[in-house]
Amino acid sequence: MLYNSTVAPLAPLDPATSFAHQPRNFTRSNLLKRRFNEVIPGGGHTYAKGDDQFPEFMAPYIVRGKGTHVWDVDGNQFVEFNAGLRSVTLGHAYAPVVEAAQRQMELGTNFGRPALLELEVAEEFLACTQAGEMVKFAKNGSDVTSAAIKLARAYTGRDLVAVCQDHPFFSVDDWFMGTTPVQGGIPEATKALSLKFRYNDLPGLEALLATHAGKVACVIMEVEKDQEPAPGYLAGVQALCRREGVILIFDEVITGFRWDNRGAQYQHGIQPDLSTFGKAIANGFSLAALTGRRELMERGGIYHPHERVFLLSTTYGAETHALAAARAVMQIYQEEPVVEKLHALGERLAVGFRQAVAQYELQPYVELLGKPCCLTYATRDQDGIPSQAMRALFLQETTRRGILCPSFVTNYSMTNDIIDQTIDSLFEVLAIYRRALDEGVENYLTGRPLKIVYRRYN
């Protein structure tokens, strides 16, 4: 395999030690599927983890994880990319984080008054991210993005919300879900309050704000996803929002602590009015944060002359063990080259992946997307159309080789050897993908295609 980047070349692979050559079966996982779906709607507490997102007979149920690896109920071992839906950036059961949480749990996890730790971690978060002047903690990204929307509406006295339609998820709440095909239970009046715009289309956003002049409370978007911002785009969005009196909200739930310790906003030099963080902030422990300018954030407090905003009030929002975990994560990020390694591992993987794609002339059909620290991929059929059947085949063959990869998002516990073995397996997988294109995916896929999460009917 040839490499023409600054990433070190692949090490020789010994097939006898490769995780790709371990036998696997899914007997117990397949038997458990019915029980899961009888008691849990969708068979899981997160739709992205659902049965319909994985090959029909290769959807393992996990019992433990350590570092880069997870083990399922059948005893199969896998390298897990996209660990914790991108929340586990350091690795599963990462010792310094687990130890910090354990020490705190022995002192109590929840009290009737704020713990001193809440103040200390809030101050440390603001110093680490430099993304705002005040912060409010919660348990998940939906909490904090919805709180940001409420705060923007209260501050501006406006109702409408402009949502970037090229970014896949902001909240489980109605203001966002009403913009997707999954609209069951959402009133029409609520749907009408959310408007959609396209990423990197500044004239389109300007036209939207002009059409609804004086009525839009906020613009909410990720700083960056698969597509890089066009030169001047983010600055243009900020200038447009300021001109129109619109609050700019950056969702950094994914990009924070992965693009940079201070988020993608720091990398691009644009600080919004409000920002939301989550996922990587506590390496899989449940914690999220809303931060921003004091004059906005203080509306959720009790020492100001304005109408009160019941911003965030969650019983578990400041559980002390999660805050202790976040403190440990921030310390690790500041003392060790976490972000640099996430990028380097991803770049190493991207080079090998694209070589495999080129070898089998799959450039129109398989595409790697995003920054090296947060790689995703697209699968297309012989007509170049996005294909859930081809995605199912890709996941079927990677799972057979001991790789769980809804995406190729790396974590800090991964090594060059793990990446090299993954690339070696990808050459095998993409050879099968090529044959499936030429001979028909039905000749290679066992079971049904995957399904899109955002669909109106099952």
Side-chain angles (χ1 to χ4, degrees), residues 246-322:
V246 173
I247 302 302
L248 177 58
I249 304 168
F250 279 169
D251 180 339
E252 295 251 28
V253 170
I254 289 174
T255 54
F257 294 91
R258 187 171 286 280
W259 263 240
D260 189 277
N261 297 8
R262 293 150 291 191
Q265 60 186 269
Y266 175 83
Q267 198 172 67
H268 291 290
I270 304 293
Q271 187 167 30
D273 301 301
L274 296 170
S275 302
T276 59
F277 287 75
K279 292 194 184 287
I281 189 174
N283 198 49
F285 282 87
S286 181
L287 191 69
L290 169 64
T291 187
R293 293 194 288 118
R294 183 177 302 278
E295 64 179 296
L296 278 82
M297 292 292 295
E298 68 182 0
R299 296 289 184 100
I302 56 177
Y303 297 110
H304 63 82
H306 309 286
E307 183 179 3
R308 289 193 67 197
V309 178
F310 202 76
L311 184 58
L312 278 167
S313 184
T314 55
T315 299
Y316 306 105
E319 284 178 314
T320 56
H321 64 288

Side-chain angles (χ1 to χ4, degrees), residues 30-42:
N30 289 326
L31 289 173
L32 282 170
K33 182 187 297 186
R34 181 175 178 180
R35 286 178 58 192
F36 267 83
N37 283 275
E38 282 180 345
V39 298
I40 304 171

Side-chain angles (χ1 to χ4, degrees), residues 231 238 329 336 388:
Q238 184 178 57
V329 169
E336 300 182 30
Q388 292 299 302

Side-chain angles (χ1 to χ4, degrees), residues 34 62 86 125 148 209 217 252 270 375 398 405 425:
R34 181 175 178 180
I62 307 302
R86 298 182 176 90
F125 172 86
L209 295 181
E252 295 251 28
I270 304 293
L375 293 170
T398 49
C405 56
S425 293

Side-chain angles (χ1 to χ4, degrees), residues 141-150 170-171 175 220 249 251 253 276:
S142 290
D143 290 341
V144 291
T145 54
S146 292
I149 298 299
K150 182 192 294 185
F170 290 102
S171 176
W175 67 266
I220 184 166
I249 304 168
D251 180 339
V253 170
T276 59

Side-chain angles (χ1 to χ4, degrees), residues 100-155:
Q102 286 176 331
R103 287 193 299 270
Q104 184 57 50
M105 289 173 71
E106 293 174 355
L107 302 175
T109 61
N110 210 329
F111 311 110
R113 281 280 292 158
L116 176 60
L117 186 63
E118 296 181 41
L119 169 64
E120 294 172 341
V121 176
E123 291 176 336
E124 290 166 16
F125 172 86
L126 294 173
C128 180
T129 64
Q130 301 176 32
E133 298 170 293
M134 301 181 79
V135 62
K136 191 92 165 176
F137 292 125
K139 298 311 285 182
N140 60 68
S142 290
D143 290 341
V144 291
T145 54
S146 292
I149 298 299
K150 182 192 294 185
L151 195 55
R153 283 171 164 163
Y155 185 83

Side-chain angles (χ1 to χ4, degrees), residues 1 24 75-76 137 145 179 192 196 225 258-259 275 412 426:
M1 300 178 189
R24 293 174 183 83
N76 300 313
F137 292 125
T145 54
T179 69
K196 295 189 285 188
K225 191 180 175 292
R258 187 171 286 280
W259 263 240
S275 302
Y412 191 52
L426 286 173

